[in-house]
Amino acid sequence: MFSPAWSCLSLSAENPEANRKALQDLIESRTAILKLEGFFSPNRLKSLHERIGAKKSLAQVTGYVNGSLTTFGPYLAKHLADLSRYFEQAGEIYRIFGEDFELDREVRSKIGHHFGLEKIEPAFDIQHGPYAPCTIRIHGNRVANPLHNDNIKRDGANSGLTVAGLTHQLSCVVCIQECTSGGELKHYQKQWEPADERYKIPAGLGYEPQVVDGYPSITFRPREGDVYLINPMNYHEILPTYGKDRITMGFFFGFTDPELRQAIAWS
Ligand SMILES: O=C(O)CCC(=O)C(=O)O
């Protein structure tokens, strides 16, 4: 089903106060995707994917019954049963790519400008230390990500983690290299609710497609250099990629104040 409101909106950095209305629409699931204009030159992207490609053999490959992910940097929801392992790996991006790796910092700062934030910083946990600032994901030929949603408040309930106490969770993705074809993000105007658990795939990463039956969706093909935000508490999936690797950098962020001016980010 198509809904005109469930679409992708492009935002320039010129009017942060107007952009804040779009941010609220994203949070409240009225807009599907916010694309932030004005980011990377082709040369910058080329050097980024060369730098990442050179370290590909150091990436982690995680297999699930219905797909696999190749990543640099840990993903918190995967480590909730062993938080010390997540926090040990939190600095992996810098260990692999060097302390001068600054893509995450740069993107956070642009988000800050686009939305008039007072600050957006990597999350820090009093008990455990710094969270991972981002992950880099490589989808090789024919890799897909099943239908899922991300909700640290739900998954990390009772963990005591700072990020599990945030009111909202948004996801930022930077497309560093697009695949030759496929690799679209399919994003649904349907947020997770407890009754959906009957559709959860046992031992898998996602949910049965019936959970989004009848809901509007958008199919978005990320292009090299795109920086986009979604509300990951809505169901989404990545369709199979073909040809060149689909390489993205991503992190979540949420707000620590009711005015939505102060944010913390993690992956
Ligand atoms: O790579 C994408 O397009 C979306 C990745 C994703 O699953 C997320 O941001 O939660």
Side-chain angles (χ1 to χ4, degrees):
M1 198 206 292
F2 171 75
S3 155
W6 190 245
S7 57
C8 173
L9 205 63
S10 272
L11 303 179
S12 79
E14 273 159 32
N15 196 344
E17 290 310 310
N19 290 348
R20 293 180 63 76
K21 153 90 178 62
L23 191 68
Q24 197 65 46
D25 285 345
L26 191 74
I27 287 170
E28 289 170 21
S29 256
R30 287 189 293 267
T31 294
I33 299 174
L34 299 181
K35 203 159 95 170
L36 309 189
E37 292 170 0
F39 274 85
F40 303 106
S41 69
N43 276 349
R44 176 77 201 291
L45 287 167
K46 187 163 173 286
S47 80
L48 274 169
H49 55 71
E50 277 169 9
R51 191 167 178 183
I52 293 165
K55 303 282 182 177
K56 197 172 161 185
S57 61
L58 301 177
Q60 269 204 18
V61 180
T62 312
Y64 297 90
V65 291
N66 44 10
S68 73
L69 293 174
T70 300
T71 51
F72 296 100
Y75 171 64
L76 179 58
K78 198 183 127 196
H79 292 282
L80 287 170
D82 186 1
L83 286 175
S84 55
R85 197 158 154 64
Y86 169 83
F87 284 98
E88 271 158 34
Q89 295 176 25
E92 185 178 290
I93 287 281
Y94 302 121
R95 276 197 296 277
I96 292 180
F97 296 107
E99 290 294 329
D100 63 340
F101 183 85
E102 55 181 24
L103 182 61
D104 58 305
R105 206 179 351 257
E106 203 177 337
V107 174
R108 281 194 305 273
S109 139
K110 304 239 181 188
I111 291 177
H113 287 128
H114 264 76
F115 298 105
L117 305 187
E118 285 158 14
K119 63 177 181 187
I120 170 165
E121 290 174 349
F124 185 89
D125 205 90
I126 303 272
Q127 199 188 340
H128 302 282
Y131 287 76
C134 65
T135 52
I136 292 177
R137 292 180 282 239
I138 304 180
H139 290 76
N141 193 28
R142 296 182 185 276
V143 173
N145 281 165
L147 187 64
H148 69 285
N149 60 77
D150 304 283
N151 184 335
I152 196 62
K153 196 179 172 115
R154 170 198 64 205
D155 298 341
N158 310 320
S159 64
L161 289 169
T162 309
V163 298
L166 299 171
T167 330
H168 306 296
Q169 178 173 354
L170 298 176
S171 179
C172 173
V173 182
V174 179
C175 178
I176 297 167
Q177 179 177 276
E178 63 193 67
C179 50
T180 312
S181 62
E184 297 91 349
L185 168 67
K186 193 155 183 201
H187 191 37
Y188 297 84
Q189 195 173 25
K190 154 81 175 133
Q191 290 219 331
W192 175 85
E193 53 195 318
D196 296 348
E197 287 307 291
R198 72 199 137 139
Y199 294 114
K200 186 116 177 57
I201 297 170
L205 189 59
Y207 290 76
E208 302 285 357
Q210 293 96 302
V211 74
V212 291
D213 259 1
Y215 287 91
S217 68
I218 179 171
T219 303
F220 171 77
R221 176 160 157 69
R223 298 292 180 181
E224 241 149 63
D226 281 352
V227 179
Y228 52 100
L229 308 185
I230 63 169
N231 182 337
M233 296 197 281
N234 284 71
Y235 284 88
H236 52 287
E237 62 188 316
I238 299 176
L239 304 182
T241 57
Y242 297 102
K244 279 192 308 182
D245 289 343
R246 179 194 202 265
I247 306 177
T248 55
M249 193 261 321
F251 56 80
F252 297 116
F253 65 100
F255 296 92
T256 54
D257 64 326
E259 292 77 29
L260 313 186
R261 295 276 180 191
Q262 310 207 0
I264 55 176
W266 77 99
S267 73

